[in-house]
Amino acid sequence: GQNIDQPTEMTATEGAIVQINCTYQTSGFNGLFWYQQHAGEAPTFLSYNVLDGLEEKGRFSSFLSRSKGYSYLLLKELQMKDSASYLCAVMDSNYQLIWGAGTKLIIKP
Amino acid sequence: ETGVTQTPRHLVMGMTNKKSLKCEQHLGHNAMYWYKQSAKKPLELMFVYNFKEQTENNSVPSRFSPECPNSSHLFLHLHTLQPEDSALYLCASSQGDPGGKPQHFGDGTRLSIL
C-alpha cells in the first residue's frame, strides 16, 4: 500500500529553527509537495521537490532524498504566524497526490 | 484569497436532507478535485475532473454525487448522509497537466450531519 508518515505534533520556540520530517512509500514518484494549513483555512502550497537536494524559499526550505523516501521541511526564524499544520504529499505514478495526516506545529513565545 | 471559492462555509443537515456544495475557481485551471478532510487523518481524494470529464472516483458512496458543468465550477450533491460523513470538504483546482503543478484549495465547507 501507499503510505506517508509525518509526526502528529511538534512544538518550537519563536525565533528558533524546526525541521518537519516526512517519509513515504508510494507506487512511483512524480514529486513531493509541502502545504501549510492554518486552522479553518485552505491548505496553501509551500514547495515542490522532484530532484534530490535542497530547495530554499525565504525562511522555508525543503529537502528530498528519493533513495531514502524522505523529505523534510525546514522553517527558520520562526514566527507566531507559522503555527499551523504542515502537510506532506507525494504524487504517485498515476499523478495522484497521496497525503500525510499533517504535522501540527505549535510556536511558543 | 486563493482563487478557489467554496460555498457554503458551514452546513448542518439531517440525514434525510438533500444539499449541494459549490466550488468555483478563477485561476483558469482545467482540473478540479473534491477532498474529504477528517481530524488527524490524511486528505481523502473523492473525485477528480479533468476538462469537465470525471477521471477518478475513489470508491465514494453513491450518497455523494459530483457535477462539473464547466471547467470553472464543481458541485457535490449530498443526500441521505451518515454521521461519519461529518468532515471538512475541500475543493481544489490545478492545471490539467499534473506534473509538478500544485493544487490550489478553497477554504472548505464544514459539514455536520445530525
Side-chain angles (χ1 to χ4, degrees):
Chain A
Q2 308 202 87
N3 195 50
I4 310 284
D5 284 317
Q6 50 182 131
T8 303
E9 187 173 299
M10 299 182 71
T11 302
T13 304
E14 190 176 16
I17 299 173
V18 71
Q19 177 176 310
I20 303 174
N21 296 325
C22 172
T23 58
Y24 63 88
Q25 292 175 303
T26 56
S27 304
F29 180 84
N30 280 300
L32 185 144
F33 295 81
W34 284 97
Y35 281 79
Q36 179 191 60
Q37 186 178 24
H38 286 101
E41 297 183 11
T44 55
F45 169 72
L46 289 177
S47 68
Y48 171 71
N49 294 68
V50 67
L51 299 176
D52 290 351
L54 188 68
E55 294 278 345
E56 297 187 75
K57 205 184 278 189
R59 294 188 297 114
F60 293 10
S61 304
S62 55
F63 171 83
L64 174 68
S65 169
R66 288 172 296 170
S67 62
K68 295 182 179 178
Y70 168 70
S71 173
Y72 68 72
L73 181 68
L74 191 70
L75 291 73
K76 302 177 184 176
E77 301 168 19
L78 286 170
Q79 301 174 10
M80 297 303 292
K81 67 178 182 180
D82 297 329
S83 292
S85 289
Y86 291 85
L87 311 180
C88 173
V90 172
M91 187 167 276
D92 69 9
S93 56
N94 294 320
Y95 293 98
Q96 296 292 339
L97 279 179
I98 311 301
W99 294 83
T103 298
K104 183 178 180 180
L105 178 62
I106 299 168
I107 309 296
K108 296 187 174 179
Chain B
E1 181 62 44
T2 66
V4 180
T5 304
Q6 289 187 244
T7 54
R9 290 295 311 275
H10 301 273
L11 179 61
V12 179
M13 56 187 287
M15 289 191 284
T16 57
N17 293 156
K18 290 185 180 181
K19 297 286 184 183
S20 296
L21 309 185
K22 179 182 176 182
C23 176
E24 183 174 0
Q25 59 97 0
H26 308 275
L27 300 169
H29 292 161
N30 41 37
M32 296 187 78
Y33 311 78
W34 278 118
Y35 284 94
K36 177 182 179 183
Q37 187 175 36
S38 302
K40 299 184 179 179
K41 288 187 176 180
L43 285 174
E44 298 175 45
L45 178 64
M46 300 175 72
F47 301 104
V48 180
Y49 278 82
N50 219 327
F51 293 94
K52 301 188 301 176
E53 299 296 320
Q54 185 175 315
T55 57
E56 291 291 331
N57 175 348
N58 284 3
S59 304
V60 179
S62 59
R63 58 186 183 269
F64 295 93
S65 174
E67 179 189 0
C68 188
N70 56 61
S71 57
S72 297
H73 293 85
L74 186 64
F75 296 89
L76 188 63
H77 304 298
L78 316 172
H79 65 97
T80 325
L81 293 192
Q82 304 299 308
E84 62 265 27
D85 297 324
S86 296
L88 181 68
Y89 288 84
L90 290 165
C91 173
S93 70
S94 70
Q95 295 288 8
D97 173 11
K101 305 294 194 305
Q103 294 178 13
H104 296 256
F105 287 83
D107 286 332
T109 296
R110 175 69 62 186
L111 177 65
S112 298
I113 307 300
L114 301 178

